[in-house]
Amino acid sequence: MGLSFYYAFLVYITAVSAAVGSSFAGSTSTALFPPANATITATDTFFPNASQVGHGGPTPTGDEAAAIATAPAVALVDNVFPLVKPATSDKKPGFDILQHLGNLSPFQSVKSLGLPDASARVPDGCKITQVHLLHRHGARYPTGGSSFAAALHTAATSTGFNTSGPLAFLSTWTYKLGEQTLTPFGRAEMFNLGVGFRVKYGDLLKKATDLPVFRTTSEERMVDSALNFAAGFFGVQSYKDDYHQLIEIDDELGKLNSTLAPWNCPVFHSRVAGFGSAQALKWANIYLVSARERLSPSIQGLVLDIKQLIDMQTLCAYETVALGYSAFCGLFTEEEWKGYEYYVDLHFWYGFGPGAPYASAMGLGWVQELISRLTQTRITNFDSTPVTFPFGQPIYVDATHEIVVSQILTALNFTTLAANGPLPTDRIPPNQTWFANQLVPFGTNLVGQVLSCPASDTPTHIRWILNDAVLHRGIKQRIAEINFEFDCFGNYTTPNPDNIIDGRYPQSAHLM
Ligand SMILES: *[C@@H]1O[C@H](CO)[C@@H](O)[C@H](O)[C@H]1NC(C)=O
Ligand SMILES: *[C@@H]1O[C@H](CO)[C@@H](O)[C@H](O)[C@H]1NC(C)=O
Ligand SMILES: *[C@@H]1O[C@H](CO)[C@@H](O)[C@H](O)[C@H]1NC(C)=O
Ligand SMILES: *[C@@H]1O[C@H](CO)[C@@H](O)[C@H](O)[C@H]1NC(C)=O
Ligand SMILES: *[C@@H]1O[C@H](CO)[C@@H](O)[C@H](O)[C@H]1NC(C)=O
Ligand SMILES: *[C@@H]1O[C@H](CO)[C@@H](O)[C@H](O)[C@H]1NC(C)=O
Ligand SMILES: *[C@@H]1O[C@H](CO)[C@@H](O)[C@H](O)[C@H]1NC(C)=O
């Protein structure tokens, strides 16, 4: 018995090392499970389900929770289990790389967004009457491949390459990432978001007169995120029966209108939209110079350029949320990780935030829907919204992309986030207020609490909580300010970035 177990173990080891030996640095691998051509060897009749087995034990359900009003404090998400936190190359204690990965940061609660003393807890004397949740999907694979992996692969298959020191691991490294879909950790982020939302706001379900409709978009990671949220919120045994899942078509060319995938904005597909990455690249050409000098001597056969170094930092983020750990993280210093975070901040500010002339216009559709739900007035103007959408519910849940969260935050005019004006591309400013890791990490969530103060059934306030931190107010008359036709359909070139801080084309230009 003991011997045969030992033998099986040996066989397993041999198989794995053979697989490693047959691949080479920079090569890619494909999914290993389920095995190709797996055949079912046992029929379902061998596996009766729970109701057939019976003996389920007692099943009385408890009352709904309302922790956002009943608990003295709000629980925060402050760990990233099962990811392993990497150390920087300069081994700075107390510095957490995973909080400096911009939009690729694993979800963690934000301590404060300009209102350090405010709590997300429902204020004493108020009652919550409705809640709106807008959230991003969980951690995913990259949306494209890796340019660094491709370059390494080319080197390996042509001249060959040699590595040493910090880059020695590359001689056996292979690219293991898929594309776009949710990672197992991303699944957990969504399930936990659903559980957390039920514990905080579940009591509102008692006000439902029908099954709620939650929305997402059609991309696989979006549907997967919505289902994992629902599984956490309702429980896997019943979630399919407890709500309706509405799926808006996510048409990346913008041929269809969707408020959760508002790509129907021609300017967004023009050269104007490349401005965000161009601004970010200016900064990368500064903050990564010393990393290039330090790492280049450790590889022969591949000349490292700045874009590849950005890609190596990005691989740290993606490998960590997909594989649990990445050797790329430890190649860079604390300063370089702060530099990377700022690189992403620039990309979002100028590409999808206050510095993008079409950002507010693209967030407008969802804001119009919000106003419609708050005022209980069905939308009659369909310029930027679909014809059907959930209405009259105590709980709304909309899943979207981080780009859209950024655009909606901009459309809602949370001016504290944009307080210190356009971000410089040659340095990190001392009093920055726009941080991608706080605003758009994986699983980012914006909660609108509709409150009645003093407590009654008539709503009097809406309060916004982003990733568990309270935001300064956004404003309703904002809709009238946003010129969707011009900002999305105008034939303009990139405006002077110094003049844009609220995600609209500079206003003096409209008057011309
Ligand atoms: C799976 O089946 C296909 C078609 O029969 C065959 O070409 C392929 O080699 C099989 N793959 C494996 C891993 O057996
Ligand atoms: C259990 O299996 C029976 C027989 O196949 C089926 O009728 C029933 O719907 C199943 N119940 C659940 C909860 O899947
Ligand atoms: C790698 O090292 C080997 C052995 O020293 C050498 O022959 C080869 O030219 C080196 N390759 C590159 C790309 O430097
Ligand atoms: C989508 O939005 C555009 C731009 O506002 C509008 O012209 C068009 O009629 C809308 N299409 C649909 C199908 O609602
Ligand atoms: C931000 O910091 C810069 C440099 O210290 C300073 O000149 C500027 O006035 C500050 N802005 C605000 C709004 O505090
Ligand atoms: C939106 O923000 C801008 C910039 O801070 C401000 O000038 C404008 O008054 C705000 N709009 C509304 C409706 O509050
Ligand atoms: C947009 O403006 C440019 C420069 O003014 C002009 O050459 C081009 O024809 C315009 N395109 C459209 C579609 O109006």
Side-chain angles (χ1 to χ4, degrees):
M1 180 83 167
L3 189 64
S4 69
F5 172 78
Y6 180 68
Y7 182 68
F9 190 66
L10 258 187
V11 168
Y12 174 73
I13 297 277
T14 310
V16 170
S17 55
V20 170
S22 68
S23 62
F24 47 84
S27 76
T28 57
S29 47
T30 49
L32 297 174
F33 186 87
N37 305 344
T39 51
I40 293 165
T41 54
T43 63
D44 282 350
T45 54
F46 293 137
F47 305 100
N49 65 29
S51 53
Q52 291 167 310
V53 172
H55 302 269
T59 56
T61 55
D63 200 353
E64 290 294 342
I68 200 69
T70 58
V74 174
L76 302 179
V77 178
D78 58 4
N79 81 76
V80 293
F81 178 86
L83 312 185
V84 175
K85 289 196 177 183
T88 63
S89 66
D90 49 347
K91 307 277 187 272
K92 284 287 171 67
F95 179 80
D96 183 1
I97 293 176
L98 301 190
Q99 290 193 41
H100 293 270
L101 299 175
N103 62 322
L104 306 181
S105 302
F107 183 80
Q108 296 203 38
S109 298
V110 173
K111 290 203 178 61
S112 139
L113 287 167
L115 292 172
D117 298 326
S119 165
R121 202 182 162 273
V122 172
D124 289 334
C126 298
K127 182 174 148 186
I128 185 159
T129 62
Q130 191 180 63
V131 69
H132 300 256
L133 170 63
L134 177 77
H135 72 86
R136 185 192 183 191
H137 56 74
R140 57 158 165 74
Y141 287 120
T143 51
S146 156
S147 61
F148 174 74
L152 196 67
H153 186 68
T154 304
T157 51
S158 55
T159 56
F161 67 86
N162 295 324
T163 56
S164 57
L167 298 183
F169 75 95
L170 288 175
S171 62
T172 53
W173 175 78
T174 61
Y175 184 74
K176 295 190 171 69
L177 304 177
E179 222 174 289
Q180 308 233 6
T181 56
L182 217 54
T183 68
F185 173 71
R187 208 189 296 158
E189 288 179 311
M190 289 294 105
F191 189 88
N192 290 338
L193 183 65
V195 172
F197 206 62
R198 183 69 177 257
V199 170
K200 289 178 191 166
Y201 297 99
D203 197 51
L204 284 169
L205 283 172
K206 293 178 187 166
K207 292 170 60 122
T209 53
D210 206 343
L211 292 185
V213 178
F214 294 169
R215 299 190 301 177
T216 188
T217 78
S218 58
E219 286 189 332
E220 176 158 309
R221 68 177 172 282
M222 297 297 308
V223 175
D224 221 359
S225 291
L227 296 183
N228 277 289
F229 176 91
F233 188 79
F234 295 111
V236 288
Q237 296 240 28
S238 69
Y239 77 95
K240 288 180 181 149
D241 301 326
D242 288 348
Y243 81 118
H244 298 292
Q245 184 68 59
L246 188 143
I247 303 173
E248 294 188 357
I249 294 179
D250 202 318
D251 177 42
E252 61 185 29
L253 299 177
K255 296 220 171 65
L256 296 163
N257 298 341
S258 157
T259 53
L260 301 176
W263 320 130
N264 61 327
C265 177
V267 167
F268 182 68
H269 302 278
S270 77
R271 263 189 300 164
V272 177
F275 192 59
S277 45
Q279 291 287 83
L281 191 56
K282 287 181 195 162
W283 167 241
N285 281 322
I286 296 169
Y287 85 86
L288 281 171
V289 167
S290 55
R292 183 172 52 183
E293 284 168 6
R294 187 177 66 250
L295 293 172
S296 288
S298 299
I299 183 163
Q300 288 83 46
L302 177 65
V303 179
L304 293 179
D305 65 24
I306 295 292
K307 284 190 174 170
Q308 282 165 7
L309 288 158
I310 299 170
D311 202 58
M312 289 161 89
Q313 290 193 297
T314 305
L315 276 169
C316 156
Y318 281 127
E319 285 194 336
T320 300
V321 297
L323 309 173
Y325 182 74
S326 172
F328 286 96
C329 303
L331 295 179
F332 299 92
T333 64
E334 173 178 347
E335 274 319 292
E336 288 154 3
W337 283 114
K338 288 179 177 166
Y340 180 78
E341 165 63 35
Y342 190 62
Y343 164 84
V344 184
D345 298 342
L346 284 166
H347 193 176
F348 272 76
W349 174 281
Y350 291 106
F352 321 113
Y358 45 81
S360 287
M362 291 179 74
L364 178 64
W366 189 86
V367 176
Q368 285 177 323
E369 291 180 337
L370 170 76
I371 300 297
S372 158
R373 290 162 170 184
L374 291 174
T375 59
Q376 303 197 38
T377 313
R378 282 195 179 274
I379 288 174
T380 52
N381 166 6
F382 296 109
D383 271 6
S384 48
T385 57
V387 176
T388 56
F389 75 103
F391 188 79
Q393 302 184 173
I395 293 183
Y396 293 96
V397 178
D398 285 339
T400 187
H401 299 274
E402 85 277 37
I403 287 180
V404 185
V405 172
S406 177
Q407 291 165 338
I408 289 170
L409 290 172
T410 306
L412 285 170
N413 220 30
F414 292 116
T415 46
T416 45
L417 301 180
N420 295 322
L423 302 182
T425 56
D426 60 350
R427 65 188 185 283
I428 302 179
N431 42 20
Q432 200 187 333
T433 52
W434 177 267
F435 295 98
N437 67 334
Q438 298 183 344
L439 307 179
V440 289
F442 288 125
T444 189
N445 54 90
L446 178 67
V447 174
Q449 296 177 337
V450 180
L451 302 173
S452 146
C453 316
S456 74
D457 286 327
T458 314
T460 55
H461 294 72
I462 181 161
R463 202 165 72 118
W464 293 101
I465 320 290
L466 181 66
N467 300 333
D468 303 317
V470 180
L471 279 166
H472 275 284
R473 253 182 319 165
I475 285 178
K476 178 179 166 182
Q477 56 266 43
R478 178 76 173 146
I479 285 183
E481 266 186 11
I482 300 172
N483 187 334
F484 179 75
E485 275 306 310
F486 183 85
D487 291 356
C488 268
F489 290 83
N491 178 20
Y492 57 82
T493 52
T494 309
N496 179 348
D498 294 340
N499 294 338
I500 309 190
I501 54 160
D502 73 342
R504 295 181 297 152
Y505 197 82
Q507 293 314 288
S508 53
H510 282 315
L511 305 174
M512 289 172 11

